[in-house]
Amino acid sequence: MGGILLLLGFEACGCVLADALFKRRAGVVRLWLGLTAGLLMMMWLPSLFAYALRFTAAAQYAALGTAALLAALARFFLTEKPDPLALEGEKKPFCGDMPAWLPIALVVPLLILSIYLQYTHTLREVDGALHVGQSTYGDLCLHLGIATGLQGSAYPPEYTLIQDVLLGYPFLMDALSASMIALGTDLAASFVIPGSLMMGLVYLGFVLFAWELTRSRAAVVVAYLLLFLNGGLGFFYVLDGVWQDSTLFQNVFTGYYAAPANMVENNIRWVNVICDMMIPQRTLLAGWTMVVPALYLLALAMRERSRRLYIVLGVLAGAMPMIHTHSFLALALISAGCLVWTLWHAPERKKALVDFAFYAGIAAALALPQVLTWSIPQTVGGSSLTGSLSLRFNWVNYDTSTGRLIDGYFWFWIKNIGPVYLLMVPAALLSKGWKRGLALGALFVYVAAEFIQFQPNPYDNNKLFYVAFLLMLPLVGSYLVALWNRLRGLPGRALLAAVFLAVSLTSGALSLAREAVSDYQLFSADEVEAAAYIRDELPADAVYLTGDQHNNLVAALAGRQIVCGTGSYLYYHGIDYQQAALDARRMLEAPAENLELFAQYGVDYVVIADSERYNYALDETYFAQNCTLVYEAGSVRIYAVDTQNDGNLQE
């Protein structure tokens, strides 16, 4: 309960802050930006205090006090002056000029689904075991390990998956959950509650952003559906297979990654943003929670030529690198495009240049320490970065083994994104004024992601593409509404629109349905009990020898240091883990011949469960005869390493 109250406290401070900074805006905008500001402060402030207080309850209280102080200062000194064009005493509707039914009708259904998916996909208890969904089976354990590993930790934090390596992965979303855990909130709730809140804010934020760009109810609805029910043309592959085998349709809902928005075997990689991005990839979810308001403020600042908005935007942008680096980079590229357009068209170029200089200067001052401390050492300085920061054309459609594209360039994008891909250019050309600056920024992102691979896994460039996609959809919605109006009186107009929407949305809808019924066990009841024993009964600074399975009970659930975790995480974070993985295998399989390694890595306990027995030629007899069994329940055994004065196992 304490963690929930902490979250509510930060959100209250954020709402007070936003109410002061954005006094002229509609109530729904202030509420959205206030809740966003509260989350931003809850992600950042506890970690700042953790440098002096470690990541403890004291750091959380100090952070909340600071948030309250910032809110009070904004209230007294930074409150936006009333709009000079507004009538005295005039009260705007809560949703401003946007019809109130629009955000309700769009946000509520997807939010209900998202809360359900957060619940079913995040450590749902079933007879003592912990279950997840299809999309979270692989990613969730990384985030669990960061959140549990931060408890009481010194700063800057290090990985629990490998020793003496700075945690360079954007960790602030998981730090927010860690703050809730530090004040007594259950692990699952600390993930589900903020995750659900952020999804709601992304949905609401996109509606507000799309309305700001279009002022059209139909355009907002179309853009919203095209974004959150995206999925491309993969369902045609399903239909083709069903003609040959009618049971294949059932496989969409029962197979592992057989849904039509994610069919690697058919080079369909443009996954549904809810299923495979927002639900499992918590850093992306936090990034979108911040980048949507950043784009909204950028659009307002360009339209109103408001230096105040550029300054606020600079603070928000500068806080983003360790929330989600890809969203920060995408925002930087979009802003560069907007700057180019503004300098080309602005009537007051000097003022525009100064405004952008304020924005860029503040953002750089806040972001550079993060980038230099965490991002660059991990990406540029990492030692296992095959293909990272290199030239690579056409995203995942390029086959490095043959040096050729897998599919034709345009066909690849059409079948992945759907017919909406063909509308991007005409939508950009139809837009006018400052909106063309946003379209140019989206083009900058697209080109950069098409030609540069920024991380070891080329697939991760989609986190850049999606921001450009998100930005362009309101413009596409406006174009489609204009096209609809031009076709007035044409027979079959409604049928044509229905076919377009069906082709565009079917793959995404099927993928969401598949995700809603997915269910996989991540940790057995025995593993859950063993993790609780490690967390509650054994020293917090102990080092554990385990297998390298991704669902590692010690690292994920207990948050304790292990010798080496899975390469599925470490390799793609640019970490040289091979020697540690080899040494861990030697200690598990031939402990008597590798006694010096136990001392080298400071191993205190050995944890043996089904994964260790299955994946290693385990010498469990040696541990049973030479170590002290401190825990045994079901399939899990924990041995304390007995040492002599030299730190080695007894022979």
Side-chain angles (χ1 to χ4, degrees):
M1 186 62 183
I4 297 174
L5 293 176
L6 181 71
L7 174 62
L8 292 175
F10 274 104
E11 292 293 50
C13 294
C15 287
V16 173
L17 180 69
D19 187 63
L21 293 177
F22 306 104
K23 200 69 176 178
R24 296 182 185 178
R25 311 298 162 180
V28 66
V29 173
R30 297 199 306 273
L31 177 62
W32 166 52
L33 294 177
L35 294 175
T36 301
L39 292 172
L40 179 65
M41 290 189 291
M42 189 171 176
M43 282 189 277
W44 259 110
L45 294 179
S47 286
L48 294 179
F49 281 100
Y51 278 91
L53 302 173
R54 303 178 74 92
F55 202 88
T56 59
Q60 315 309 318
Y61 296 135
L64 182 58
T66 302
L69 177 62
L70 291 174
L73 291 174
R75 190 76 175 179
F76 285 106
F77 300 108
L78 298 176
T79 297
E80 189 174 35
K81 295 179 180 179
D83 187 347
L85 300 179
L87 298 176
E88 185 175 352
E90 179 186 21
K91 290 187 177 180
K92 291 184 177 181
F94 182 72
C95 290
D97 59 354
M98 179 178 65
W101 64 263
L102 186 60
I104 294 173
L106 292 177
V107 173
V108 171
L110 277 188
L111 180 57
I112 292 173
L113 174 63
S114 299
I115 293 172
Y116 174 76
L117 290 176
Q118 286 282 343
Y119 165 70
T120 59
H121 283 51
T122 311
L123 303 183
R124 181 171 59 90
E125 184 176 349
V126 179
D127 298 328
L130 296 177
H131 285 225
V132 296
Q134 173 182 255
S135 65
T136 53
Y137 185 84
D139 286 349
L140 182 62
C141 287
L142 169 67
H143 300 289
L144 292 172
I146 294 174
T148 55
L150 284 175
Q151 300 305 309
S153 68
Y155 261 59
E158 296 182 345
Y159 279 92
T160 57
L161 293 175
I162 194 167
Q163 295 178 331
D164 303 322
V165 177
L166 189 71
L167 181 58
Y169 180 84
F171 62 85
L172 290 179
M173 171 59 171
D174 297 321
L176 186 152
S177 294
S179 294
M180 298 179 70
I181 297 169
L183 294 190
T185 301
D186 172 75
L187 178 59
S190 73
F191 273 56
V192 172
I193 293 172
S196 300
L197 175 59
M198 286 186 178
M199 295 192 78
L201 290 175
V202 171
Y203 298 146
L204 176 60
F206 184 74
V207 170
L208 294 171
F209 176 64
W211 179 260
E212 196 63 41
L213 265 62
T214 66
R215 288 296 194 275
S216 165
R217 292 168 294 181
V220 171
V221 171
V222 171
Y224 187 88
L225 294 177
L226 289 174
L227 176 60
F228 296 113
L229 295 183
N230 74 300
L233 305 183
F235 73 94
F236 281 116
Y237 289 97
V238 175
L239 293 177
D240 182 58
V242 168
W243 284 112
Q244 304 172 39
D245 182 356
S246 59
T247 64
L248 290 181
F249 186 72
Q250 183 179 357
N251 189 52
V252 169
F253 303 96
T254 58
Y256 190 65
Y257 281 105
N262 192 353
M263 307 176 75
V264 177
E265 67 278 9
N266 293 310
N267 206 22
I268 298 290
R269 309 296 299 276
W270 190 253
V271 297
N272 177 262
V273 297
I274 296 177
C275 292
D276 292 297
M277 305 304 288
M278 296 170 68
I279 290 290
Q281 301 200 32
R282 290 169 54 80
T283 52
L284 176 134
L285 175 58
W288 278 29
T289 305
M290 300 301 148
V291 82
V292 175
L295 294 174
Y296 178 86
L297 292 175
L298 178 60
L300 286 182
M302 291 178 65
R303 188 187 71 188
E304 300 176 7
R305 301 168 190 168
S306 169
R307 183 165 299 169
R308 177 189 177 94
L309 290 176
Y310 278 115
I311 290 173
V312 174
L313 177 58
V315 174
L316 175 57
M320 286 176 59
M322 287 311 291
I323 295 175
H324 189 230
T325 312
H326 286 86
S327 292
F328 170 74
L329 176 58
L331 177 62
L333 291 168
I334 291 167
S335 300
C338 291
L339 173 61
V340 170
W341 183 91
T342 300
L343 293 180
W344 189 262
H345 293 90
E348 301 178 71
R349 293 180 182 175
K350 182 177 180 180
K351 180 184 181 303
L353 185 60
V354 172
D355 289 342
F356 270 92
F358 271 106
Y359 167 28
I362 294 170
L366 294 175
L368 276 177
Q370 304 169 59
V371 173
L372 295 176
T373 301
W374 288 294
S375 303
I376 289 181
Q378 182 145 314
T379 56
V380 178
S383 54
S384 60
L385 296 175
T386 303
S388 183
L389 282 177
S390 59
L391 295 177
R392 181 190 179 97
F393 179 59
N394 200 199
W395 188 32
V396 292
N397 190 40
Y398 181 76
D399 186 348
T400 55
S401 64
T402 64
R404 301 173 61 183
L405 298 183
I406 300 171
D407 288 304
Y409 181 83
F410 289 108
W411 170 237
F412 167 76
W413 281 116
I414 292 170
K415 78 174 188 177
N416 269 273
I417 295 181
V420 66
Y421 177 78
L422 299 173
L423 304 178
M424 295 290 183
V425 172
L429 295 177
L430 182 67
S431 61
K432 297 179 180 179
W434 53 270
K435 297 175 188 177
R436 285 195 174 184
L438 294 174
L440 181 61
L443 178 62
F444 278 20
V445 176
Y446 180 84
V447 171
E450 273 288 71
F451 286 93
I452 303 173
Q453 182 177 322
F454 290 92
Q455 58 286 305
N457 187 0
Y459 174 77
D460 283 345
N461 267 27
N462 64 357
K463 298 167 187 175
L464 295 170
F465 284 121
Y466 278 120
V467 179
F469 182 65
L470 177 155
L471 176 58
M472 286 300 300
L473 285 180
L475 303 181
V476 170
S478 289
Y479 176 74
L480 286 171
V481 170
L483 190 61
W484 171 264
N485 292 332
R486 288 184 181 181
L487 296 178
R488 190 182 304 276
L490 179 70
R493 180 178 69 153
L495 177 61
L496 183 63
V499 170
F500 171 82
L501 290 176
V503 170
S504 300
L505 308 180
T506 298
S507 291
L510 288 175
S511 297
L512 280 168
R514 162 56 181 143
E515 205 61 48
V517 300
S518 64
D519 180 24
Y520 295 89
Q521 178 178 293
L522 188 62
F523 294 101
S524 68
D526 291 343
E527 291 170 327
V528 174
E529 292 178 9
Y533 175 82
I534 292 171
R535 184 178 61 248
D536 299 335
E537 303 296 335
L538 298 182
D541 59 352
V543 176
Y544 294 81
L545 174 62
T546 72
D548 64 354
Q549 64 274 14
H550 85 284
N551 52 339
N552 189 294
L553 70 93
V554 179
L557 295 182
R560 299 297 190 250
Q561 182 72 59
I562 63 175
V563 173
C564 188
T566 175
S568 298
Y569 299 149
L570 297 174
Y571 174 81
Y572 292 114
H573 292 187
I575 296 171
D576 184 2
Y577 70 96
Q578 289 87 349
Q579 187 61 52
L582 178 60
D583 290 343
R585 179 172 292 277
R586 288 170 174 170
M587 285 186 276
L588 287 169
E589 296 184 343
E593 301 170 12
N594 294 281
L595 299 180
E596 72 285 353
L597 292 177
F598 287 85
Q600 177 183 328
Y601 286 92
V603 175
D604 298 295
Y605 297 93
V606 179
V607 178
I608 296 175
D610 289 338
S611 292
E612 285 75 17
R613 296 186 183 97
Y614 180 80
N615 294 311
Y616 296 84
L618 184 68
D619 189 354
E620 188 169 358
T621 301
Y622 178 89
F623 295 113
Q625 293 176 350
N626 294 275
C627 299
T628 302
L629 181 66
V630 297
Y631 177 87
E632 181 178 13
S635 62
V636 183
R637 293 183 177 87
I638 302 176
Y639 294 95
V641 175
D642 298 323
T643 59
Q644 296 176 329
N645 292 333
D646 63 359
N648 289 334
L649 282 168
Q650 294 178 356
E651 302 203 38

